[in-house]
Amino acid sequence: MSKFIFVTGGVVSSLGKGISSAAIGRLLESRGLKVTLIKCDPYINVDPGTMNPFQHGEVYVTEDGAETDLDLGHYERFTNAKITKDNNITTGKIYYSVITKERKGDYLGKTVQIIPHITDEIKHCLKKAASEQKVDVAIVEIGGTVGDIESLPFLESIRQLRLELGHDYAMNIHVTLVPYLKSAGEIKTKPTQHSVGTLRQIGIMPDIIICRTERVLSKDSKEKIALFCNVDEDAVITAVDVKSIYEVPGMFKRQNLDNLIVRRLNLKCDKSDLNNWENSVIKRLKHSKKGVEIAVVGKYITLQDAYKSIYEALTHGAISNEARLIIKKVDSEDIEKDGVRKYLSGVKGILVPGGFGNRGIEGKIQAIQFARENNIPFFGICLGMQTAVIEFARNVCGLKQANSTEFDKTTKYPVISLLDEQKEVENKGATMRLGAYECVLKKGTKAHSAYKHTNVFERHRHRYEFNNKYRNVMEDKGMVFSGFHPKASLVEIIEIKDHPWFISCQFHPEFKSKPDNAHPLFRDFIAAALS
């Protein structure tokens, strides 16, 4: 039977529960254990697919086509866990399932309540994900902060589950804030004490406390936290700020966090071996001397989490090239106002990521034209590919009014149009082209050179596609169609002849990149920028 680690958070949000969970997963994998990671989100949306990026950040897409929380991206980047739709559980998903069962009469006329029906459904989903993936350890991150009303059903569920499973099969790790007051010159442990007190009132006793802090905790501070929070002193872990999130597994290992978990859950496993991670990732991050500046031209640029996987995949590409990444974040609306040269002159590569809606589109098109005409390595992803097609149609093929029907339904030259299966769709949630689809690569192209395979599978999230009616006219002008989905002949990758490196893809390669195994397109994009 799988064993469970429940990770909760206190004091404030955005403490890094997801990073902590992913780092723990990496540590346990380094000891030969098979893990999975599950995120429980307390919002009532069924999934984040219809949320504004400014509200929620990036929507991460799994291989089986689930739109999930961005923390699941961290899980896949840090570990070898195969994340599926079952690894993201929301309040909306739980209530939807329970209400559907009630309407069908599955509860035999009983009054449906939070306890036991909602909590039982949560427990069922957690156990199902762990058992179907046949893992040694399931790490379950509870979203939100202890004390929030909306997360109470999840907390009650893990309290019950810990009792049901027994001492050796479940444990709790609490991530909390230990602030440093600069004016007083002191670290304050009281917020952590209050947070753990609130957790204990719910009936959950933490076994380990991970303390997010700017300063390394002194022995006195750790002793105080241990005393008032009823844990051993060695179970108080300092999670001090680091330059890169990929340093966290090593930081935890040096404090014996993996040994604490192994002893507490009575796990039979090997000794930890993080040598490959340290050598292939951390050393290159810290000691790479050559730098490369990449401009990311987006429309949600003010929110760090909106392009989380893009930034991480660029970092992975730099790591694989033993280079130091410098990201220049450019709002496409600023390009529309001030001109392209003000923001892109001097950069070594330009990336245009995905998005929705017509705001900032013309700025993206100007950035792509600048990259094409000045031989700057360019990488377009999803909407980035669609805007690259529009730019080429207007400025190379002479189709001046070319556009996407997403932005102009009456455009004279609809070079990007709605997927056929999308034309009758009314509901917005989980109805896009989602998940992994096959892409067949044309030999002799830069895409084929990067992948070194003819058939690959990549993850999608879009409604619009290249309009094949315009393929011939664009090929005549130098566009190369280097990747297709074989069943529907959908264009997946485009390139431009006689350009150092100009590739755009309809899918999202950033979702399959890892720090110790960069995605081939990001690896080659950074290599082109360096050269």
Side-chain angles (χ1 to χ4, degrees):
M1 186 169 68
S2 301
K3 301 192 177 188
F4 286 84
I5 299 172
F6 300 116
V7 180
T8 55
V11 185
V12 295
S13 59
S14 301
L15 279 179
K17 296 191 301 298
I19 300 295
S20 297
S21 300
I24 291 167
R26 183 74 198 192
L27 275 179
L28 296 182
E29 279 193 347
S30 76
R31 303 190 66 143
L33 295 165
K34 185 178 180 182
V35 306
T36 193
L37 297 100
I38 304 166
K39 177 69 182 290
C40 295
D41 270 311
Y43 52 73
I44 298 176
N45 304 67
V46 173
D47 59 47
T50 58
M51 290 188 191
N52 189 314
F54 286 115
Q55 279 229 331
H56 183 268
E58 169 190 86
V59 174
Y60 186 80
V61 179
T62 60
E63 200 79 353
D64 62 348
E67 295 173 293
T68 69
D69 182 77
L70 60 84
D71 276 320
L72 277 76
H74 293 310
Y75 302 164
E76 285 203 328
R77 285 187 281 273
F78 276 76
T79 73
N80 295 308
K82 304 301 180 187
I83 303 299
T84 72
K85 62 181 184 301
D86 292 333
N87 291 73
N88 196 195
I89 302 167
T90 68
T91 294
K93 188 183 290 185
I94 294 297
Y95 272 77
Y96 186 83
S97 177
V98 169
I99 290 169
T100 301
K101 289 178 181 179
E102 185 275 329
R103 293 288 83 188
K104 288 163 62 178
D106 288 2
Y107 297 117
L108 303 176
K110 291 180 181 177
T111 301
V112 179
Q113 297 175 294
I114 303 295
I115 304 173
H117 301 99
I118 296 297
T119 51
D120 281 353
E121 186 70 19
I122 293 170
K123 290 186 292 182
H124 166 74
C125 290
L126 294 177
K127 289 188 283 189
K128 176 175 177 282
S131 63
E132 287 188 353
Q133 296 177 37
K134 298 178 181 178
V135 297
D136 299 306
V137 181
I139 302 165
V140 181
E141 177 194 348
I142 308 298
T145 308
V146 170
D148 294 344
I149 293 172
E150 55 262 36
S151 61
L152 282 174
F154 288 107
L155 295 171
E156 172 59 20
S157 297
I158 66 171
R159 184 196 69 79
Q160 293 177 19
L161 201 50
R162 178 169 171 169
L163 287 175
E164 293 170 15
L165 294 171
H167 183 271
D168 285 354
Y169 281 85
M171 66 178 292
N172 294 100
I173 296 178
H174 192 55
V175 183
T176 182
L177 178 68
V178 180
Y180 172 73
L181 296 186
K182 192 173 181 180
S183 58
E186 292 180 348
I187 281 176
K188 293 296 182 182
T189 65
K190 191 64 71 177
T192 292
Q193 295 174 42
H194 284 308
S195 177
V196 172
T198 302
L199 193 65
R200 290 166 67 181
Q201 286 175 2
I202 298 167
I204 298 173
M205 297 284 290
D207 299 286
I208 295 171
I209 298 173
I210 295 176
C211 301
R212 279 301 311 276
T213 175
E214 295 179 43
R215 306 290 180 95
V216 176
L217 296 181
S218 66
K219 183 173 174 59
D220 287 346
S221 295
K222 294 181 78 169
E223 285 177 350
K224 184 185 288 187
I225 291 170
L227 176 64
F228 287 104
C229 297
N230 200 33
V231 297
D232 295 333
E233 186 185 335
D234 65 353
V236 180
I237 305 297
T238 299
V240 70
D241 294 344
V242 288
K243 289 184 177 179
S244 168
I245 58 175
Y246 302 119
E247 297 178 54
V248 177
M251 178 174 63
F252 284 170
K253 177 177 166 51
R254 288 188 288 274
Q255 297 178 72
N256 295 311
L257 178 56
D258 56 323
N259 290 331
L260 290 171
I261 293 169
V262 166
R263 287 202 305 268
R264 172 62 181 76
L265 292 177
N266 194 23
L267 292 162
K268 308 300 180 187
C269 57
D270 304 327
K271 290 184 177 180
S272 177
D273 183 5
L274 276 180
N275 288 336
N276 183 59
W277 183 266
E278 293 290 331
N279 291 330
S280 65
V281 178
I282 305 305
K283 281 187 179 179
R284 290 183 177 187
L285 271 172
K286 288 185 174 182
H287 303 299
S288 294
K289 294 180 180 179
K290 56 186 177 183
V292 57
E293 185 178 32
I294 303 295
V296 177
V297 181
K299 54 195 294 182
Y300 315 114
I301 217 76
T302 55
L303 183 68
Q304 168 73 15
D305 285 345
Y307 299 119
K308 191 66 177 175
S309 290
I310 293 284
Y311 298 147
E312 296 306 319
L314 284 169
T315 300
H316 306 162
I319 291 171
S320 68
N321 283 280
E322 299 187 34
R324 178 173 44 85
L325 177 69
I326 304 159
I327 294 179
K328 184 175 185 178
K329 300 175 184 178
V330 180
D331 193 315
S332 57
E333 288 187 287
D334 289 339
I335 290 177
E336 292 175 356
K337 289 184 290 186
D338 304 324
V340 68
R341 291 190 175 275
K342 178 179 178 179
Y343 299 99
L344 299 183
S345 292
V347 300
K348 300 301 182 183
I350 297 171
L351 186 149
V352 173
F356 299 91
N358 62 3
R359 182 178 58 82
I361 290 300
E362 294 303 321
K364 290 190 175 193
I365 291 171
Q366 289 177 47
I368 295 165
Q369 182 178 3
F370 185 79
R372 181 179 56 79
E373 293 180 345
N374 291 279
N375 289 326
I376 300 170
F378 172 77
F379 194 5
I381 295 174
C382 196
L383 181 62
M385 186 193 101
Q386 295 173 6
T387 45
V389 167
I390 295 169
E391 189 279 325
F392 193 85
R394 289 180 183 177
N395 300 318
V396 178
C397 300
L399 308 177
K400 294 300 181 183
Q401 298 175 48
N403 214 328
S404 167
T405 55
E406 180 182 6
F407 315 133
D408 181 0
K409 294 186 185 301
T410 62
T411 176
K412 186 177 180 180
Y413 304 112
V415 291
I416 302 294
S417 58
L418 198 62
L419 285 159
D420 286 340
E421 66 262 27
Q422 293 290 321
K423 291 178 180 177
E424 303 301 322
V425 169
E426 294 182 2
N427 293 334
K428 297 298 184 186
T431 56
M432 284 186 271
R433 188 181 182 216
L434 292 166
Y437 287 84
E438 185 179 11
C439 176
V440 178
L441 302 176
K442 185 178 179 181
K443 291 182 179 180
T445 61
K446 286 186 171 63
H448 187 268
S449 174
Y451 281 100
K452 296 178 173 58
H453 292 285
T454 303
N455 297 70
V456 296
F457 285 82
E458 293 284 3
R459 301 179 194 179
H460 295 68
R461 185 173 183 254
H462 66 104
R463 296 186 193 277
Y464 293 80
E465 62 163 324
F466 177 81
N467 188 340
N468 280 317
K469 292 178 182 178
Y470 295 91
R471 189 187 299 179
N472 289 339
V473 68
M474 292 195 178
E475 280 183 323
D476 291 342
K477 292 293 186 178
M479 181 170 281
V480 177
F481 298 93
S482 55
F484 294 89
H485 177 52
K487 291 185 178 178
S489 194
L490 301 179
V491 172
E492 295 277 17
I493 309 176
I494 64 167
E495 304 178 14
I496 292 180
K497 285 181 182 178
D498 305 321
H499 190 284
W501 206 92
F502 191 110
I503 291 181
S504 294
C505 54
Q506 184 58 73
F507 48 80
H508 289 268
E510 69 271 23
F511 293 150
K512 298 186 77 168
S513 187
K514 294 175 182 283
D516 52 349
N517 187 19
H519 189 283
L521 292 180
F522 280 92
R523 180 200 64 218
D524 282 16
F525 172 54
I526 296 295
L530 282 164
S531 65

